């Protein structure tokens, strides 16, 4: 059963949800209907996904507003049973709607649907006595009874990522020899992370960095860079950062600059020191206008990296295989070191990106793109990533054409 709240009611319904978030967005100051069960299940979703926040883009809708956004005027939103949400992980990035749908299914929401082609927004509801699982991008009847099956995800491990969902990328260094970037582009590669260099000497610039940068750019492939660290102390990491900034100068990067921490003698110094080195490197890069992140393995992420870093910086996590067994959100997953891509001879590292860095970096004016807008805070952009065409304007709650009547 739904309860009725005055328009100006700001009751905190649960630890993470307030009445105000569920107000109808028609512009009239009328009452709000909210189901207790909806809030209870949203809290469960928040916990089980280890969210940093959940944004409700549409909660209660009056009949008129429901019709305005393409509904029948009698759907679950008009009963206070439904919410359209975006769930954010600990790194401040949206969690894929594929994962959210599966979790919502586990929790027992009776109505669940992916809303956008970017897999960022999810409709959930607690309709009584019936069930509806949908994917509003591909039509109503595409999902039958199981999101795990539908998205090809293994129900035994909710942390698994779906490799089909991300942008395809590679990361390369001098060890990959001469690369034919036009062929790489034709092979479907959508981004590349280039080794810029290693250690704390400018002479240790990667011998193919300039070639790779020029080649990828000419082929229209967005690039990021990484700096391979040998530091064992924060002051050394800082020195490495300064050299890195010097090497990167004058170039533009659509993807972040990553601190590559994997050397044994580095890792041997322990979690607190490794974390301090990451902060030291990242701080220098940020001061110089770079969108910065950490490259590490999934296991090192838990044993050698303190939590604040996972929320603060972009994460590029290596775990070779078909599963990334990491519960938090990551920006890029390196899933193979033995890939084959046309244009690169021999094995090449394969990656998948889940964040539209190109749009975010340019919007933030980072990485040589000049500041055009204030830099993002930890509050993420509530709109879908711009590289994926989504014909909805979530912010104002006008889903015209794509929203299914529920
Ligand atoms: Zn209304
Ligand atoms: Zn909805």
């Amino acid at each position: 059963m739904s309860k009725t709240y005055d328009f100006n009611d700001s009751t905190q319904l649960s630890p993470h949800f307030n009445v105000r978030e569920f107000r109808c967005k028609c512009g009239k100051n009328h009452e709000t209907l909210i189901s207790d069960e909806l809030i209870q299940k949203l809290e469960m979703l928040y916990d089980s996904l280890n969210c940093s926040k959940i944004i409700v883009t549409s909660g209660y809708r009056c009949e008129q507003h429901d019709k305005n956004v393409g509904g029948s005027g009698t759907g679950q939103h008009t009963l206070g049973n439904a919410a359209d949400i975006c769930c954010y992980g600990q790194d401040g990035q949206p969690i894929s709607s594929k994962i959210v749908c599966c979790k919502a299914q586990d929790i027992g929401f009776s109505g669940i649907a992916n809303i956008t082609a970017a897999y960022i927004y999810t409709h959930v509801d607690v309709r009584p006595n019936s069930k509806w699982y949908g994917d509003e991008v591909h039509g109503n009847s595409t999902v039958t009874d199981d999101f795990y099956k539908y998205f090809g995800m293994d129900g035994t491990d909710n942390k698994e990522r779906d490799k089909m969902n991300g942008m395809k990328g590679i990361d390369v260094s001098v060890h990959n020899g001469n690369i034919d970037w036009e062929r790489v582009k034709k092979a479907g590669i959508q981004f590349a992370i280039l080794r810029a260099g290693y250690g704390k000497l400018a002479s240790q610039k990667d011998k193919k960095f300039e070639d790779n940068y020029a080649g990828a750019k000419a082929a229209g492939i967005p690039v990021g860079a990484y700096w391979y660290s040998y530091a064992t102390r924060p002051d050394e990491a800082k020195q490495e950062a300064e050299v890195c900034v010097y090497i990167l100068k004058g170039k533009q990067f659509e993807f972040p600059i990553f601190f590559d921490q994997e050397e044994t003698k580095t890792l041997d110094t322990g979690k607190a020191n490794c974390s301090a080195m990451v902060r030291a490197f990242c701080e220098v890069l940020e001061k110089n206008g770079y969108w910065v992140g950490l490259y590490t393995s999934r296991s090192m992420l838990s044993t050698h990296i303190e939590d604040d870093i996972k929320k603060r910086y972009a994460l590029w996590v290596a775990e070779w295989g078909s599963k990334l067994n990491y519960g938090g959100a990551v920006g890029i997953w390196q899933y193979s070191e033995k890939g084959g891509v046309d244009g690169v001879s021999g094995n090449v590292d394969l990656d998948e990106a889940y964040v539209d860095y190109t749009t975010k970096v340019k919007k933030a004016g980072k990485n040589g793109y000049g500041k055009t807008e204030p830099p993002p805070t930890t509050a993420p952009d509530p709109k879908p990533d711009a590289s994926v065409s989504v014909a909805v304007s979530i912010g104002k709650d006008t889903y015209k054409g794509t929203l299914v009547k529920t």
Side-chain angles (χ1 to χ4, degrees):
M1 280 300 287
S2 294
K3 287 189 186 132
T4 303
Y5 302 85
D6 285 343
F7 180 77
N8 286 315
D9 197 323
S10 58
T11 302
Q12 191 67 28
L13 298 164
S14 71
H16 301 102
F17 297 95
N18 190 289
V19 170
R20 281 172 306 189
E21 298 170 76
F22 294 84
R23 278 179 190 167
C24 181
K25 291 180 176 164
C26 67
K28 297 190 196 97
N29 294 4
H30 59 66
E31 63 198 7
T32 305
L33 276 178
I34 309 172
S35 150
D36 288 341
E37 189 191 347
L38 177 68
I39 299 303
Q40 188 202 333
K41 288 201 158 74
L42 283 172
E43 271 302 328
M44 289 166 71
L45 192 64
Y46 192 105
D47 284 345
S48 62
L49 288 168
N50 191 24
C51 290
S52 58
K53 67 172 163 183
I54 291 181
I55 290 178
V56 178
T57 58
S58 183
Y60 174 62
R61 296 176 193 157
C62 62
E63 181 185 335
Q64 189 53 53
H65 186 55
D66 195 52
K67 285 177 177 165
N68 289 348
V69 297
S72 62
T74 59
Q76 296 302 317
H77 283 279
T78 68
L79 304 171
N81 286 337
D84 295 348
I85 55 173
C86 180
C87 301
Y88 291 85
Q90 290 299 323
D91 65 351
Q93 301 298 334
I95 296 169
S96 167
S97 178
K98 295 184 181 185
I99 294 169
V100 176
C101 285
C102 290
K103 252 320 171 207
Q105 178 178 315
D106 290 344
I107 286 164
F109 282 98
S110 41
I112 307 166
N114 168 56
I115 299 175
T116 64
Y119 292 99
I120 288 173
Y121 296 91
T122 311
H123 165 100
V124 289
D125 71 55
V126 292
R127 66 187 65 202
N129 310 322
S130 67
K131 197 175 87 171
W132 175 65
Y133 291 171
D135 184 345
E136 300 182 1
V137 177
H138 300 292
N140 251 338
S141 52
T142 45
V143 182
T144 49
D145 59 350
D146 186 353
F147 277 104
Y148 287 104
K149 220 191 297 174
Y150 176 69
F151 289 131
M153 297 168 90
D154 177 4
T156 59
D157 185 355
N158 299 337
K159 290 168 185 169
E160 179 182 356
R161 279 165 197 284
D162 176 357
K163 246 195 273 178
M164 303 309 291
N165 190 24
M167 293 171 69
K168 306 292 173 199
I170 56 175
D171 61 270
V172 297
S173 71
V174 66
H175 304 298
N176 297 98
N178 293 323
I179 296 170
D180 184 336
W181 288 98
E182 290 297 336
R183 278 166 63 196
V184 167
K185 170 83 173 174
K186 284 197 189 86
I189 294 300
Q190 296 161 290
F191 71 96
I193 311 293
L194 316 175
R195 189 175 79 153
Y198 60 94
K200 53 189 177 188
L201 296 175
S203 58
Q204 291 168 181
K205 174 158 101 171
D206 187 282
K207 297 278 183 280
K208 288 287 177 199
F209 179 54
E210 295 291 344
D211 286 351
N212 285 334
Y213 178 84
K217 285 279 174 175
I221 298 173
V223 296
Y226 71 94
W227 194 265
Y228 190 97
S229 176
Y230 286 96
T232 55
R233 298 191 314 260
D235 65 298
E236 289 179 327
K238 189 167 177 261
Q239 276 180 284
E240 291 185 337
E242 280 155 4
V243 175
C244 177
V245 166
Y246 171 76
I247 299 290
L248 302 181
K249 195 162 262 170
K251 293 184 166 59
Q252 291 180 313
F253 300 90
E254 295 75 20
F255 274 61
I257 311 305
F258 292 94
F259 184 56
D260 178 351
Q261 192 178 59
E262 58 178 287
E263 270 294 299
T264 306
K265 73 178 167 96
T266 298
L267 300 173
D268 283 349
T269 66
K271 188 173 193 172
N273 192 56
C274 283
S275 300
M277 287 190 280
V278 175
R279 291 184 202 102
F281 184 94
C282 291
E283 200 173 292
V284 173
L285 269 286
E286 275 194 345
K287 271 188 194 148
N288 283 278
Y290 290 98
W291 192 299
V292 63
L294 169 68
Y295 167 88
T296 188
S297 71
R298 195 266 303 161
S299 59
M300 292 305 151
L301 196 58
S302 55
T303 56
H304 285 72
I305 298 299
E306 290 171 353
D307 286 344
D308 63 294
I309 289 170
K310 301 170 196 172
K311 296 175 203 171
R312 179 75 177 71
Y313 302 111
L315 284 184
W316 175 19
V317 179
E319 182 167 24
W320 299 328
S322 60
K323 279 187 193 180
L324 176 56
N325 295 294
Y326 176 65
V330 302
I332 305 175
W333 172 24
Q334 184 189 67
Y335 61 90
S336 175
E337 55 163 348
K338 292 199 162 81
V341 170
D342 191 42
V344 188
S345 48
N347 291 333
V348 62
D349 294 343
L350 299 179
D351 302 276
E352 261 205 357
Y354 308 100
V355 174
D356 178 11
Y357 286 117
T358 300
T359 301
K360 286 172 187 274
V361 162
K362 287 181 180 175
K363 195 176 167 202
K366 300 276 186 185
N367 294 3
Y369 276 101
K371 197 176 276 286
T372 53
E373 285 183 56
T377 59
T378 44
D381 184 349
K383 293 196 177 81
D385 289 333
S387 75
V388 190
S389 60
V390 179
V392 291
S393 62
I394 300 290
K396 294 196 184 73
D397 185 25
T398 50
Y399 299 114
K400 288 189 180 83
T402 50
L403 196 68
V404 164
K405 301 153 212 69
T406 65

